[in-house]
Amino acid sequence: MTLEEVRAKIAASRRVVGFTGAGISTESGIPDFRSPSGVWARYRTVYFDEFVSRREARVEYWRQKVENWPHIRDAQPNAGHAAFVTLHRAGKLRALITQNIDGLHQRAGLPRESVIELHGTTTEAVCLDCGDRITSDEAVARVLAGDLAPECRSCGGYLKPATISFGQAMPYEEMQRASSATLDCDVFLAVGSSLVVHPAAGFPALAKQHGATLVIVNRDPTPLDSIADLVIHGEIGTLLPALV
Ligand code: NAD
Ligand code: ZN
């Protein structure tokens, strides 16, 4: 398909699903994973089973969180996030599935119920026992005050940033909602994802199998480029607003 054909398709659609990865937030100053300056180069990965079994691992994880949190807290949504808000306001966005944990889609103006966070959110901390949540501002303040591995005030369970860690199960309800939306869309826009992290990266292929038009917007090639109806390589902040 040509760019013009896809634009016409979006203009006529009321069931667009957006799917975003770390690439939509780099223009907000949050680094993605797979670049030399990315997160993986600087931090030791704390796996979920370590977090629950060793205090030292919880202390390390919270130390990383405290260091990272100001960058996420102070980041501002960019033109890419705004493009999805435009689609939503035009009544076209069926759902926005994101692998991101930064909360920038909601801060840009998407209602909570439109955003499906497959990997959770770093804007809150959750009690692993009772599910109680507090803001990251509150959790980080507690760590900075010397509570190096904070516990839940209601039940004493371990508090953990509300993201899905390596080794942790995917959230059931979000996976279900993402599947339903994927099966119920006519255009699937995959934006700023290397499309290699599974199971999240399965959704674009599922959409295509079920007859949706698959559009990929990303700086670098992805493994799904060959099945996409249109692949646009370049910067999201300029390309996406032009597309929608
Ligand atoms: P990724 O790092 O694997 O891939 C990001 C892709 O975006 C790359 O292919 C890169 O070429 C592209 N990209 C980066 N900036 C771009 C720009 N301005 N314009 C166009 N393309 C751009 O990210 P992923 O696929 O989301 O998978 C990584 C995992 O990392 C996810 O599970 C996510 O949870 C997590 N993560 C999230 C954040 C965040 O919340 N902002 C940041 C880092 C990592
Ligand atoms: Zn609790």
Side-chain angles (χ1 to χ4, degrees):
M1 271 187 174
T2 65
L3 183 66
E4 273 319 306
E5 284 168 335
V6 168
R7 289 185 63 175
K9 182 108 202 187
I10 291 172
S13 172
R14 301 191 62 79
R15 289 179 298 130
V16 176
V17 163
F19 176 92
T20 61
I24 199 170
S25 294
T26 57
E27 291 168 67
S28 295
I30 302 174
D32 59 18
F33 261 6
R34 287 168 187 78
S35 57
S37 60
V39 184
W40 284 353
R42 288 188 295 129
Y43 294 116
R44 165 170 105 69
T45 301
V46 175
Y47 292 85
F48 185 67
D49 61 347
E50 276 186 274
F51 186 93
V52 294
S53 59
R54 292 171 46 227
R55 180 178 157 85
E56 181 274 322
R58 291 192 290 283
V59 170
E60 168 62 16
Y61 199 65
W62 276 108
R63 186 191 69 77
Q64 295 179 8
K65 167 80 185 189
V66 165
E67 202 177 305
N68 259 315
W69 174 236
H71 304 295
I72 307 265
R73 183 194 60 205
D74 298 339
Q76 296 302 318
N78 65 57
H81 299 101
F84 283 109
V85 178
T86 302
L87 281 177
H88 167 72
R89 297 207 172 127
K92 296 177 175 301
L93 192 68
R94 169 68 175 76
L96 188 285
I97 305 169
T98 188
Q99 303 173 83
N100 294 346
I101 56 173
D102 54 34
L104 288 181
H105 284 296
Q106 294 91 322
R107 281 184 39 213
L110 282 188
R112 237 172 194 278
E113 60 273 15
S114 298
V115 183
I116 304 169
E117 294 173 313
L118 293 178
H119 297 163
T121 178
T122 195
T123 64
E124 293 174 340
V126 63
C127 168
L128 294 179
D129 286 347
C130 76
D132 195 35
R133 286 176 178 242
I134 61 173
T135 64
S136 286
D137 278 332
E138 183 184 343
V140 165
R142 280 172 62 181
V143 178
L144 286 172
D147 188 0
L148 297 185
E151 295 174 357
C152 175
R153 291 219 157 115
S154 329
C155 80
Y158 302 143
L159 280 177
K160 180 183 168 294
T163 51
I164 304 300
S165 292
F166 291 100
Q168 189 171 5
M170 294 293 285
Y172 180 78
E173 195 202 318
E174 279 76 5
M175 288 296 286
Q176 294 299 315
R177 286 172 61 210
S179 300
S180 311
T182 299
L183 296 175
D184 181 40
C185 72
D186 47 21
V187 180
F188 192 101
L189 274 179
V191 178
S193 173
S194 57
L195 300 178
V196 297
V197 179
H198 283 272
F203 290 111
L206 184 66
K208 177 67 190 168
Q209 276 161 25
H210 284 261
T213 299
L214 175 60
V215 182
I216 296 176
V217 182
N218 204 52
R219 185 190 290 151
D220 294 303
T222 81
L224 295 185
D225 286 4
S226 58
I227 65 159
D229 294 282
L230 180 68
V231 179
I232 312 175
H233 285 145
E235 296 305 298
I236 293 161
T238 36
L239 291 172
L240 198 57
L243 190 64
V244 307

